[in-house]
Amino acid sequence: MINKKEHLLGFCKNVGIKFKNLELLDQAFYHRSIQNEVHNVKSNERLEFLGDSVLGFATASYLYKNFENPEGELAKIKSAVVSEKTLASIAKKIGIDKLLVLGKGEKLSGGSEKPALLADCMEAIIGAYYLDSGYENAEKYVLSFIVPEIELICKEGMKDYKTLLQEEVQKKYKSFPKYEVIKKSGPDHNQTFEIVVQINDFVLGPEKGKSKKEAEQKVAKKALDFLKKEQI
């Protein structure tokens, strides 16, 4: 095992699960980039493939049993809670970034902070737990973090900050917010975008993000806060 036994046991205790085979859990943290440097090591890709299906089924089953919404609305909720963004956020909270095993190149490029890698590892852990302890335990683990996300979405609604800002600006000014990338930095695999939003003659920002979408969401939220305080 590359991750030490006490670290794996600490992780299990933190998230409330028990593994019979800790080597299976350990494998869930191996990104494929490590295979270039350590021989005879399996990556977490196959576990991720399995975990993705377990995650999807457990979430869909919960939504079907607990909500009377039409299929389209259930699909939107499911898509939001099993998204890369949501899974990566949960992964950071439970310390997956500290146990992720990466090759030197991936590590240098900030791989432990990349949402895609964190979300993939989250799914790999689900896959490993399913193999180790069966579907019932894997489902219980999935619902422990997915149900709060479902409740949050139901409380706050499905709209994102860009959508909310557009609706507010249309209603108040009969116009549309305009987004502009004012700066792009970093190598192609790890870029940072700085974006401003213009509402009539008022410009807000910049806000930074690892993608245009992330930066746009941040600057849209800032603009909404200003609108609520009537500072625009």
Side-chain angles (χ1 to χ4, degrees):
M1 290 190 292
I2 293 179
N3 281 309
K4 291 182 179 179
K5 184 178 178 180
E6 62 263 30
H7 292 157
L8 296 172
L9 289 172
F11 172 81
C12 288
K13 186 178 179 181
N14 184 38
V15 298
I17 60 178
K18 289 182 180 179
F19 265 81
K20 303 182 195 82
N21 180 2
L22 280 176
E23 288 187 3
L24 197 56
L25 173 61
D26 191 41
Q27 185 191 334
F29 292 101
Y30 294 1
H31 183 255
R32 64 178 180 272
S33 60
I34 195 67
Q35 291 178 307
N36 299 324
E37 297 161 26
V38 181
H39 298 299
N40 301 319
V41 167
K42 294 179 180 177
S43 79
N44 63 8
E45 287 183 308
R46 282 168 55 83
L47 290 174
E48 174 208 332
F49 165 77
L50 182 60
D52 176 61
S53 295
V54 175
L55 171 65
F57 182 75
T59 305
S61 179
Y62 178 85
L63 288 169
Y64 182 84
K65 290 173 183 175
N66 292 277
F67 292 83
E68 295 295 330
N69 304 49
E71 181 271 339
E73 290 180 17
L74 293 179
K76 284 182 180 177
I77 296 171
K78 177 175 176 283
S79 177
V81 297
V82 301
S83 67
E84 178 184 292
K85 180 183 175 184
T86 300
L87 292 177
S89 175
I90 295 166
K92 285 276 284 184
K93 286 176 188 173
I94 61 178
I96 282 177
D97 54 322
K98 295 176 180 65
L99 292 170
L100 203 54
V101 180
L102 307 167
K104 288 178 184 176
E106 192 63 64
K107 197 180 289 184
L108 287 170
S109 69
S112 63
E113 298 292 322
K114 291 179 181 177
L117 270 62
L118 291 168
D120 289 349
C121 186
M122 192 83 185
E123 291 176 338
I125 291 166
I126 296 166
Y129 196 40
Y130 166 75
L131 291 175
D132 183 84
S133 301
Y135 177 75
E136 191 175 322
N137 286 312
E139 180 187 46
K140 187 179 177 182
Y141 170 54
V142 166
L143 296 182
S144 72
F145 60 80
I146 283 294
V147 171
E149 295 297 328
I150 292 172
E151 290 173 348
L152 189 63
I153 280 177
C154 291
K155 183 181 175 182
E156 295 184 352
M158 293 294 294
K159 295 175 183 175
D160 58 20
Y161 292 118
K162 278 187 71 178
T163 303
L164 289 169
L165 180 63
Q166 182 171 312
E167 289 177 354
E168 198 64 30
V169 171
Q170 277 184 283
K171 182 174 150 186
K172 198 167 184 178
Y173 302 113
K174 311 294 185 219
S175 62
F176 294 89
K178 296 175 184 174
Y179 298 87
E180 182 185 355
V181 179
I182 60 163
K183 188 177 179 183
K184 191 165 62 172
S185 58
D188 289 342
H189 63 272
N190 191 27
Q191 289 187 323
T192 298
F193 297 86
E194 293 186 36
I195 291 180
V196 297
V197 63
Q198 182 177 345
I199 300 169
N200 294 337
D201 296 326
F202 198 90
V203 178
L204 273 162
E207 290 293 325
K208 296 179 181 180
K210 287 297 182 183
S211 66
K212 288 182 183 178
K213 187 176 179 181
E214 182 188 351
E216 285 173 350
Q217 287 292 335
K218 285 182 178 178
V219 80
K221 183 179 186 303
K222 186 180 223 180
L224 274 168
D225 291 339
F226 270 73
L227 277 172
K228 284 174 186 174
K229 296 172 186 173
E230 297 187 342
Q231 291 179 302
I232 298 178

